[in-house]
Amino acid sequence: MLELTNTEQVIMKCIWEIGDNVAVADLLERLKTEYGKEYARTTISVFMSYLRDKGYVTYEKRSHAYVYKPLISEQDYQKELMKRYQKTSFSGSAVEFIRAYLDSQELTAEDLKAIRELVEKKQQEVK
């Protein structure tokens, strides 16, 4: 999977939020209202061609416009991103990756409880 730029990540986030059959007009509106970013229609069209070339979206022509559909879910993207980051930044060590995350965050008791539950669930899967 090819890496996304920051702008491509925001555009993909919009696509995942909207769902299938996303038109450029939909993206322009969401980028403006949710992210405070204003782009020209042609700029978004160029980014969509990059995302298509990288294998993140497919498209079809409907009437006078293209509509786009994600080829990868947000969850699958996040998993791949974390795997890549763990491999490149922490020499593949899950322990060091998690340690760095925990050290970098201000976690509440509720956060820690939820994390503990996730670890316990994962332990059950491994057994």
Side-chain angles (χ1 to χ4, degrees):
M1 176 182 349
L2 295 173
E3 205 162 329
L4 296 177
T5 66
N6 290 339
T7 301
E8 290 169 342
Q9 286 181 28
V10 172
I11 292 170
M12 282 305 301
K13 179 77 173 161
C14 290
I15 292 169
W16 289 317
E17 290 169 351
I18 296 168
D20 291 346
N21 303 319
V22 179
V24 170
D26 299 329
L27 287 172
L28 289 169
E29 178 64 26
R30 187 149 201 107
L31 286 163
K32 183 178 179 181
T33 59
E34 296 296 318
Y35 297 93
K37 302 200 178 277
E38 292 191 51
Y39 294 100
R41 178 177 291 277
T42 53
T43 302
I44 295 302
S45 294
V46 169
F47 275 111
M48 295 311 295
S49 68
Y50 295 159
L51 290 168
R52 185 185 67 238
D53 292 347
K54 289 181 175 184
Y56 284 89
V57 298
T58 188
Y59 70 98
E60 66 180 61
K61 186 159 178 136
R62 290 201 185 153
S63 298
H64 302 290
Y66 290 102
V67 292
Y68 298 88
K69 176 182 173 180
L71 291 173
I72 182 171
S73 71
E74 183 175 18
Q75 185 177 23
D76 287 343
Y77 174 73
Q78 291 169 341
K79 285 179 185 178
E80 288 301 316
L81 190 63
M82 293 298 99
K83 285 178 189 177
R84 184 180 323 130
Y85 192 61
Q86 177 184 335
K87 183 178 180 180
T88 60
S89 298
F90 298 94
S91 301
S93 172
V95 173
E96 292 307 315
F97 178 75
I98 298 299
R99 183 188 327 272
Y101 176 78
L102 293 173
D103 288 345
S104 70
Q105 302 299 307
E106 290 187 27
L107 300 168
T108 65
E110 293 84 22
D111 292 333
L112 292 171
K113 180 181 178 197
I115 291 168
R116 192 175 303 109
E117 289 171 0
L118 290 170
V119 170
E120 289 170 1
K121 180 180 176 187
K122 196 67 170 173
Q123 280 181 315
Q124 295 301 317
E125 293 174 9
V126 173
K127 289 183 180 180

